[in-house]
Structure formats: C-alpha cells, structure tokens
C-alpha cells in the first residue's frame, strides 16, 4: 500500500488543542437527546477554547431525509451553536460529509487487513440468516477468519461479494476509560467480529466514526450510553492502528418517564416541535443542558444560564450516570421565566406572529396587547386564548358581573355601566390617561371604590372572568366605538335579565 498517502493524512491532523465533533445523521428533525449531545460537545470545546466540528454522517443511505441537512444547520444556529469546521465552511481535515470520504475507509480497512486486525468475509445472506436463526448470542461465528491466502484469492477471482470484518482477539479482555462511567473491562469472547466495510464499499457507522475522529483530530467524543457496548471494539481499532484513544464521554439517555426513553415514534417532541409549541430556543437550550448535567461549586443552586455562561462553567465532571427525565412542565417553568425576562421590544417581536393569528380586527394596536400578556404566558401558545375577545365579544353569563372582592353584583353593575356610558361617550381624546381619569373620577363622584366601576366595564368589554390588563387598557385597545358598543350590549343583557 501507498504509505505516503497514510503519512499525508497524519500530517493534516491538527494538534495541541481540544477538538470535539457533533456528527448527526440527516434523517429528520433534531430530537432532544441529539440536541443535548450537540450542546455538551459544543460546551466542552468552547470551555477549553478549542474547536467544534460539524460532520454529517450520511452512510445509512436508506434512512436519509431530503432537506434534513438544512434542518440540522438551522437548528444549531437557532440554538446559538456555531461550528469552526464543517461541510458548509470547510476546514483543514475535510471533507466533512461521510459519503464524500468514501475512499478513506476502504484504504484504512485494507490497512487493517494487512495488519491482521481485519479480514474479508464472503458469507452470503442465507448463511448469516441461518446463524441468526440458530439463536445464541446472534454474533458472527468467525467462519472466514482463518481462510488461507489461496482461498481468499480464489473467491476474489470469482467475484464473490464480501464485507470486511474486525478481527477481535479471542482471548483476554479489553479495558477502556469513560469520563462518566469510569473504568470498564469487557471479555473479548463476548465481542463479535463486527462489519467494518459493507459489500457496497460504504463503511459501517462504527468504523467510519473511528477513522473520521482520528483524521479530524477529535480529542473528546460525546455520545449516548447505548454505545458503551461498542467502545471496546473502538479501542481495539485504535490500538490496531497505533492511534491515541480520545476521551470517551458517554451520556445516559433522556427519558420520557422512569421506564421509557424519549422517542419520536411515541410522539415525544423534537426541537422543532418544541419551538412550534411556543417555547423559546434559549429556554430549551438552558433546560436541555441541565438534563443530566449539573453545575458545581458556587453555581450549584442556579437554574438559569445563558449559553455563554454555560460555556464558562461547563465541566464533564457534572455529567450524571443516571438517566434524565424530560419534564414538559419543568420546561414551561423555564420558558415562563425567559419570556418575562425579555425586553418589551423583544417580547413583542416574539409574540407578534401569535397575536396576528389571534387578533385580525383592523386598527387594533397589538403593541399595546403584548405587554399585557407577557407576565401571563408559560409559552407563546398561551397568547391566543387570552386575547381572542379583542376580535369578537364571546357569549357570557351575567354571573361574571358578580365579584365578591369588588363588591359587585348584577344590579349595581347595571347601574355602573349606565353611568359609565355617557361619560365615555363624551370623552375626547380617547387615550389611556383620559379613560383612566374619567372612570376613576366617576367612582369618586359616586363615592365608590374604583373596582365598583372598573369590574363591570372590564366584564362588559371582554366577556371573560380573567383578562390580560384591566378595564382601562382594554377600552384603550378596543377603541371608542367598539368599547361603547360592548358596554351598550352589556347594559341590554343585564336589563333583559331583570
């Protein structure tokens, strides 16, 4: 083999810095576990002042979804996760898409064959299915491990299809270190000779990962704990090549409940779903980072962090071995805090699409509605049910006029509205201060507490027991003509019930 080619690849590898990678498959939307992996990987790199690499793993061609790569880019950007190298921006160790690196894997597999750490397997599908049907561990039985050179040459000359398998030592054990789970030792006779290169020439996930991680200089590998069982095979590959082994960081799964992992198939939300459900990206990022990781020291009791603050304090030692349970109510708690912390301008910008859907009446100033709902929302989807009355007064019961604290009932509410109507009819200009002063002045003139006037007005103009804002704000937003119309309807409805 051309040793110079291998030496050139080694020479490209960046040295002397922390390098991490996020390597998603373009198979659909980003689920919560994937997002958490991306966050931890990014935070490790940023905390150390290192590099974060984006790599697209598209070797499983049967599961690819059109447009999924663009979804990955968009999701990461929305979350504030920037990459230093990747398919769209390049870098010193590209290409960054696995199918564009196809020639790499075959050469390294052949190198392993020459080293005696891999072999060609010519077993056909029928034989493999027969092995599987026999039960047991279901692993490959090593039928082709010890074929002679002559037997191999004969099959190659006949054009018999083959895969390349890793040649796991039959004796001894393999020990690896994980930053979360510690030292783990596995007996080699429990490991099967996994396929490295498929018959179509494409690598398997496990082999491509090892090759790419080494050639890209990856120093820290973050992945789910379901890959712990594959880690010994990775170690054996690194050792066979004589390569340094990166730091493994295996994270326990994100669970729907104590017994079930989150799964899109079971209706659990992806990142895109959460955004569509009215959650802010910043809140999702904050909450997901804390699913299985806890800050330590002076920040141990804190809950709310910006992405930059997380990068400043993130350490691998805070990652838990225990599975984390995704709690939508807890996420709502985070989101409510983020919504309330937004500046009025930023909240209005976020709320406007939801206000536009809920309030379609021309002339309604939605910038006046936004501050009223900001303290009352857990998610942005909470906006519409609170403000639908601006478009159309709903049917309501006269019982809403009865309020013990305000000391109102149907009779005195009717009296209040009858006194309010001429006062508001005469009002000019129609402004918050003018409406406020007129209603408060009326209450004072009648020797009544403000609530005796304000509650009937709020009920008449909204038809709801709970509203964002009080009577003055609602009258201002509805405008003079609509306010008077609704008060007249309220008077008529109360008189009819007498």
């Amino acid at each position: 083999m051309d040793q110079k080619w291998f030496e050139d690849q080694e020479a490209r590898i960046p040295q002397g810095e922390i390098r991490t990678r996020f390597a998603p498959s373009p198979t659909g939307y980003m689920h919560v576990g994937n997002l958490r992996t991306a966050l931890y990987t990014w935070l490790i790199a940023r905390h150390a002042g290192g590099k974060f690499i984006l790599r697209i793993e598209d070797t499983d061609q049967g599961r690819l979804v059109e447009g999924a790569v663009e979804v990955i880019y968009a999701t990461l950007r929305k979350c504030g996760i920037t990459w230093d190298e990747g398919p769209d921006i390049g870098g010193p160790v590209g290409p960054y898409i696995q199918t564009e690196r196809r020639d790499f894997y075959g050469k390294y597999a052949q190198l392993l064959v020459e080293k005696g750490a891999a072999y060609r397997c010519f077993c056909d599908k029928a034989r493999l299915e027969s092995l599987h049907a026999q039960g047991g561990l279901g692993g490959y039985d090593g039928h082709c491990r010890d074929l002679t050179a002559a037997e191999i040459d004969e099959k190659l000359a006949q054009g018999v299809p083959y895969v390349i398998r890793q040649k796991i030592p039959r004796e001894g054990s393999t020990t690896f270190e994980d930053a979360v789970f510690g030292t783990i030792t596995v007996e080699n006779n429990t490991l099967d000779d996994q396929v490295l290169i498929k018959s179509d020439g494409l690598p398997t996930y496990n082999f491509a990962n090892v090759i790419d991680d080494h050639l890209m200089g990856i120093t820290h590998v973050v992945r789910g704990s379901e890959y712990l069982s594959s880690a010994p095979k990775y170690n054996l590959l690194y050792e066979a090549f004589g390569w340094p082994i990166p730091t493994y960081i295996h994270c326990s799964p994100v669970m729907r409940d104590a017994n079930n992992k989150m799964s899109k198939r079971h209706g659990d939300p992806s990142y895109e779903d959460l955004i569509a459900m009215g959650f802010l990206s910043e809140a999702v990022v904050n909450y997901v980072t804390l699913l299985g990781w806890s800050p330590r020291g002076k920040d141990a009791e804190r809950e709310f962090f910006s992405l930059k603050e997380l990068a400043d304090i993130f350490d691998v030692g805070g990652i838990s071995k225990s599975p984390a349970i995704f709690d939508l109510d807890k996420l709502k708690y985070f989101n409510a805090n983020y919504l309330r912390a937004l500046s009025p301008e930023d909240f209005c910008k976020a709320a406007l699409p939801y206000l536009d859907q809920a309030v379609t009446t021309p002339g309604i100033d939605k910038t006046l509605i936004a501050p009223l709902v900001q303290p009352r929302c857990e998610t942005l989807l909470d906006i519409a049910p609170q403000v639908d009355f601006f478009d159309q007064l709903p049917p309501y019961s006269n019982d809403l006029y009865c309020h013990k604290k305000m000391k109102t009932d149907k009779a005195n509410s009717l009296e209040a509205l009858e006194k309010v109507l001429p006062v508001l009819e005469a009002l000019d200009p129609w402004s918050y201060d003018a409406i406020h002063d007129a209603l408060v002045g009326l209450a004072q003139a009648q020797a009544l507490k403000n609530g005796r006037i304000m509650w009937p007005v709020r009920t008449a103009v909204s038809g709801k027991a709970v509203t964002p804002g009080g009577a003055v704000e609602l009258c201002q937003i509805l405008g003079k003509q609509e306010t008077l119309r609704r008060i007249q309807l309220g008077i008529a409805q109360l008189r009819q019930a007498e």
Side-chain angles (χ1 to χ4, degrees):
M1 297 188 72
D2 181 5
Q3 291 302 316
K4 175 71 165 55
W5 184 86
F6 292 104
E7 291 168 3
D8 289 345
Q9 299 311 311
E10 292 293 315
R12 296 172 68 206
I13 300 173
Q15 304 291 335
E17 63 183 0
I18 298 296
R19 291 174 62 83
T20 68
R21 52 78 172 164
F22 178 55
S25 299
T27 56
Y29 289 126
M30 183 95 67
H31 60 72
V32 169
N34 245 8
L35 175 58
R36 187 185 65 170
T37 298
L39 283 165
Y40 288 3
T41 307
W42 185 89
L43 289 167
I44 290 168
R46 291 294 177 258
H47 180 75
K51 296 287 196 310
F52 173 75
I53 292 93
L54 176 61
R55 185 172 77 220
I56 301 298
E57 299 194 341
D58 61 344
T59 54
D60 190 349
Q61 294 284 296
R63 296 179 61 228
L64 301 188
V65 173
E66 186 175 354
V69 173
E70 287 68 31
V71 170
I72 291 167
Y73 291 157
T75 300
L76 294 178
R77 289 190 179 112
K78 287 175 192 171
C79 292
I81 299 175
T82 54
W83 49 99
D84 304 293
E85 303 168 26
D88 55 335
I89 59 176
V93 288
Y96 294 88
I97 297 177
Q98 279 191 338
T99 50
E100 295 177 11
R101 301 171 63 83
R102 180 171 181 157
D103 292 344
F104 288 68
Y105 311 118
K107 291 176 180 177
Y108 280 97
Q110 181 59 37
L111 183 60
L112 276 185
V113 171
E114 293 190 5
K115 288 175 173 286
Y119 61 93
R120 295 181 181 85
C121 171
F122 298 92
C123 293
D124 59 22
K125 185 176 180 181
R127 183 176 190 280
L128 295 175
E129 288 178 348
S130 173
L131 276 177
H132 184 70
Q134 292 172 20
L137 293 176
Y140 180 62
D141 63 356
H143 179 74
C144 295
R145 270 177 76 109
D146 301 314
L147 292 177
T148 65
E151 288 173 322
I152 293 171
D153 289 343
E154 181 183 354
K155 290 183 182 294
L156 291 175
Q158 293 172 355
V160 179
Y162 65 88
V163 299
I164 295 180
R165 290 182 180 273
Q166 183 176 4
K167 197 170 191 176
I168 303 287
R170 293 189 185 273
E171 306 295 331
S173 60
T174 298
T175 297
F176 67 95
E177 299 291 330
D178 182 76
V180 177
F181 289 88
T183 303
I184 298 176
T185 299
V186 177
E187 297 301 316
N188 289 336
N189 61 14
T190 66
L191 306 174
D192 68 330
D193 291 355
Q194 67 177 343
V195 173
L196 304 179
I197 299 290
K198 296 175 282 189
S199 58
D200 62 3
L202 282 173
T204 58
Y205 170 87
N206 287 327
F207 187 56
N209 262 269
V210 170
I211 302 303
D212 290 342
D213 285 346
H214 174 70
L215 295 181
M216 292 183 178
I218 302 305
T219 60
H220 293 68
V221 174
V222 182
R223 55 179 168 241
S225 58
E226 64 268 26
Y227 291 103
L228 275 170
S229 61
S230 298
K233 300 175 187 178
Y234 300 150
N235 261 37
L236 289 168
L237 288 172
Y238 281 110
E239 289 169 0
F241 284 121
W243 294 341
I245 297 170
T247 299
Y248 296 144
I249 302 158
H250 287 88
C251 302
S252 291
V254 179
M255 309 288 284
R256 181 197 317 131
D257 53 42
N259 300 308
N260 298 286
K261 287 176 63 174
M262 287 190 75
S263 167
K264 184 70 175 170
R265 288 191 303 274
H266 292 103
D268 294 315
S270 66
Y271 168 83
E272 292 290 335
D273 291 331
L274 292 172
I275 299 307
M277 291 162 66
F279 291 98
L280 296 178
S281 192
E282 295 84 355
V284 173
V285 164
N286 190 158
Y287 177 64
V288 169
T289 302
L290 297 176
L291 285 175
W293 175 82
S294 300
R296 301 193 290 183
K298 64 182 177 59
D299 296 304
E301 301 302 318
R302 276 185 69 186
E303 291 182 303
F304 301 102
F305 299 90
S306 69
L307 195 55
K308 182 182 183 306
E309 289 172 330
L310 287 168
D312 288 342
I313 66 171
F314 192 85
D315 70 293
V316 172
I319 298 176
S320 173
K321 294 179 185 179
S322 302
I325 294 179
F326 180 85
D327 184 342
L328 199 61
D329 288 334
K330 184 72 170 177
L331 177 55
K332 287 180 180 179
Y333 159 75
F334 271 80
N335 202 65
N337 277 271
Y338 270 85
L339 286 172
R340 288 172 191 132
L342 289 175
S343 69
E345 295 77 18
D346 286 342
F347 179 81
C348 190
K349 183 178 178 182
L352 204 53
Y354 300 86
L355 288 170
D356 284 342
Q357 288 185 343
V359 182
T360 59
T361 301
I364 295 282
D365 187 348
K366 290 156 194 165
T367 64
L368 296 177
I369 301 176
L372 303 182
V373 296
Q374 184 170 4
R376 296 169 172 267
C377 293
E378 289 185 320
T379 77
L380 293 168
L381 290 188
D382 293 338
I383 291 173
Q386 296 185 63
V387 302
D388 54 359
F389 68 89
F390 283 111
D391 253 9
Q392 185 173 0
L393 182 67
Y396 64 94
S397 166
N398 286 344
D399 291 339
L400 288 185
Y401 286 103
C402 303
H403 195 293
K404 188 174 181 180
K405 185 178 178 182
M406 300 295 176
K407 295 184 170 53
T408 61
D409 55 31
K410 297 172 189 176
N412 63 27
S413 290
L414 176 57
E415 292 173 6
L417 293 180
E418 289 174 335
K419 288 182 168 59
V420 163
L421 187 60
V423 170
L424 293 184
E425 283 176 333
L427 200 61
D428 188 31
W430 189 263
S431 66
Y432 178 91
D433 288 340
I435 298 165
H436 174 273
D437 292 347
L439 294 180
V440 170
L442 177 61
Q444 290 174 344
Q446 300 295 318
L448 299 172
K449 289 189 177 296
N450 291 343
R452 281 281 304 278
I453 297 295
M454 298 293 188
W455 186 259
V457 171
R458 180 159 76 163
T459 302
V461 299
S462 70
K464 290 200 165 190
V466 179
T467 60
V472 177
E473 291 93 345
L474 303 189
C475 291
Q476 178 196 13
I477 293 166
L478 284 167
K480 184 174 183 177
Q481 182 178 347
E482 181 63 12
T483 296
L484 295 177
R485 186 185 76 84
R486 293 187 181 194
I487 289 175
Q488 288 166 345
L489 288 173
I491 291 171
Q493 182 169 310
L494 285 165
R495 284 176 177 169
Q496 188 176 9
E498 282 187 321

